[in-house]
């Protein structure tokens, strides 16, 4: 009889310890999730560009780079930013809205 009572007490104590452990793990998970999200957002950001279009223009004007190099750097910079190069001549044909006569 003494032996079965001791086993019951140990089982109840173990169950309570398990419940407390699971509760602590849940609280830790809730506290850690915002930190993980913040770290993930930082790691997903692209590295900043070492220079911008104004810097390229200034280097070209000062003679540090040739116009061909400036165009190549400009294309690379725009590609990194996700801007697609378009034809600079503009659209063909008439532009704007048609005038509606009364």
């Amino acid at each position: 009889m003494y032996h079965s009572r001791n086993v019951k007490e140990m089982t109840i104590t173990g169950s309570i310890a398990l419940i407390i452990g699971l509760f602590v793990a849940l609280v830790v998970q809730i506290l850690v999730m915002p930190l993980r999200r913040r770290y993930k957002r930082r790691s997903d950001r692209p590295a900043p560009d070492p220079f911008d279009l104004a810097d390229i223009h200034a280097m070209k004007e000062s003679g540090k780079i040739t116009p061909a190099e400036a165009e190549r750097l400009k294309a690379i910079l725009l590609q990194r930013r996700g801007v697609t190069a378009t034809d600079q001549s503009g659209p063909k044909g008439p532009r704007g809205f048609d005038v509606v006569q009364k």
Side-chain angles (χ1 to χ4, degrees):
M1 177 119 182
Y2 179 75
H3 181 65
S4 66
R5 184 181 208 194
N6 194 11
V7 171
K8 268 188 186 176
E9 288 176 8
M10 286 177 35
T11 306
I12 293 172
T13 306
S15 298
I16 292 172
L18 180 64
I19 291 171
I20 291 172
L22 289 173
F23 181 74
V24 168
L26 178 67
V27 170
V28 167
Q29 182 69 18
I30 289 171
L31 294 175
V32 167
M33 283 305 291
L35 298 174
R36 290 181 65 198
R37 284 190 195 120
R38 187 177 306 142
Y39 177 75
K40 184 175 183 196
R41 266 189 253 131
R42 276 193 195 142
S43 64
D44 288 346
R45 291 182 192 156
D49 294 324
F51 48 83
D52 59 4
L53 293 175
D55 295 333
I56 294 172
H57 182 70
M59 287 188 287
K60 182 176 80 172
E61 292 299 318
S62 67
K64 292 181 181 177
I65 59 175
T66 65
E69 290 173 328
E71 288 301 317
R72 188 172 52 88
L73 287 172
K74 182 178 169 184
I76 291 170
L77 183 65
L78 292 176
Q79 181 183 13
R80 283 188 67 184
R81 291 182 181 176
V83 178
T84 58
T86 60
D87 185 19
Q88 298 295 326
S89 64
K92 305 290 184 227
R95 299 177 66 186
F97 298 102
D98 293 333
V99 178
V100 177
Q101 301 292 329
K102 288 187 179 182

